[in-house]
Amino acid sequence: MTNRRCILRGAAVAAAGSLTGCMGQLEELVGSATSGDRTLGDVASYEGVEVIPDKYVLADSAERVYANNQNNISSAEGATYIFTHLEVSHNGDSAQKFPSSRTPDTIDLVYDGERVSESMRNDATQSYIVGGKRLTTYGHAKQEAGAVGEVYPGKTVDGWVFHEIASNFDPPKLELRIVWNQQMVGDEGETTHKWTYTSDAEVSIENVEGDGTEISI
């Protein structure tokens, strides 16, 4: 009888351990699908591609630079421009795509659950000049680095994404989101990485000289 109890007890322990292992794997999979615990400065990785949005600059006006011309722009009354610095590196072992402002891997700015206007981010802007400093757009940096399509390990792109938001925004309500493998219908197969903004991540334009102007390959 004693031996039988021991055998049953051992089987129960083994089953519990196996179940715990399965639950742990399930939690890991669920956690990787949507992660909202990051703040600016934290790294996220997807299939070997690492992303770090590390700081942002606010400005009421800027010069918008295209290939053949440029023009001055000013934010609407009660609004401000926000430039977020983004560095993307491929440290994996196979060809991958870097995120973009378009599907299937989309970069979005979301405030209090609502997507921030995207009317000025899918154009041919190469850079913005703010306070005399040139901020190369992330999209143009990708083009210059030859990273629009599939890229191989060792490539890094560094640039800025641009949006206009209410000037009295509350940083903890603002999120940068990257949706990997975005689907046209439903979200099965998608992975979403989120970064919350903080007041500490805001920097003065005087302190970002060189950022967004260099591309290392």
Side-chain angles (χ1 to χ4, degrees):
M1 178 67 73
T2 300
N3 289 340
R4 184 169 179 270
R5 288 175 180 169
C6 289
I7 293 172
L8 290 174
R9 186 180 303 156
V13 170
S18 182
L19 180 61
T20 300
C22 291
M23 289 299 292
Q25 293 176 8
L26 180 61
E27 289 173 357
E28 183 178 347
L29 289 173
V30 171
S32 66
T34 303
S35 178
D37 295 333
R38 298 177 180 86
T39 58
L40 294 192
D42 292 335
V43 61
S45 180
Y46 179 81
E47 295 186 354
V49 177
E50 294 186 352
V51 181
I52 307 176
D54 58 352
K55 53 182 171 283
Y56 64 95
V57 171
L58 301 178
D60 294 329
S61 61
E63 290 182 68
R64 199 173 180 185
V65 181
Y66 300 93
N68 299 315
N69 67 304
Q70 63 189 61
N71 65 287
N72 295 322
I73 57 173
S74 297
S75 58
E77 184 177 356
T80 186
Y81 294 139
I82 182 168
F83 302 86
T84 305
H85 184 250
L86 193 67
E87 182 175 303
V88 183
S89 304
H90 188 356
N91 299 315
D93 56 10
S94 62
Q96 300 293 343
K97 289 185 177 182
F98 281 2
S100 70
S101 57
R102 300 172 180 168
T103 56
D105 303 319
T106 302
I107 302 171
D108 282 318
L109 197 66
V110 176
Y111 186 71
D112 203 17
E114 298 291 331
R115 179 183 291 178
V116 174
S117 173
E118 59 183 15
S119 60
M120 291 190 285
R121 65 177 191 160
N122 286 335
D123 61 11
T125 305
Q126 295 185 348
S127 63
Y128 292 93
I129 298 176
V130 180
K133 306 293 179 64
R134 184 182 299 271
L135 306 180
T136 299
T137 65
Y138 171 72
H140 184 63
K142 281 181 59 180
Q143 292 180 358
E144 289 292 296
V148 175
E150 288 190 333
V151 299
Y152 288 89
K155 182 151 312 208
T156 297
V157 168
D158 143 49
W160 298 78
V161 292
F162 166 86
H163 295 85
E164 186 178 38
I165 60 173
S167 57
N168 64 345
F169 76 98
D170 185 13
K173 293 182 179 180
L174 188 63
E175 287 183 340
L176 184 76
R177 295 184 183 180
I178 295 181
V179 182
W180 302 91
N181 193 35
Q182 187 174 48
Q183 304 298 306
M184 297 301 294
V185 179
D187 57 6
E188 185 176 355
E190 293 182 355
T191 296
T192 301
H193 288 149
K194 303 177 184 180
W195 292 264
T196 300
Y197 283 64
T198 64
S199 298
D200 291 343
E202 180 186 353
V203 295
S204 169
I205 189 63
E206 286 78 14
N207 296 324
V208 295
E209 185 173 3
D211 290 341
T213 63
E214 298 179 358
I215 303 167
S216 56
I217 301 176

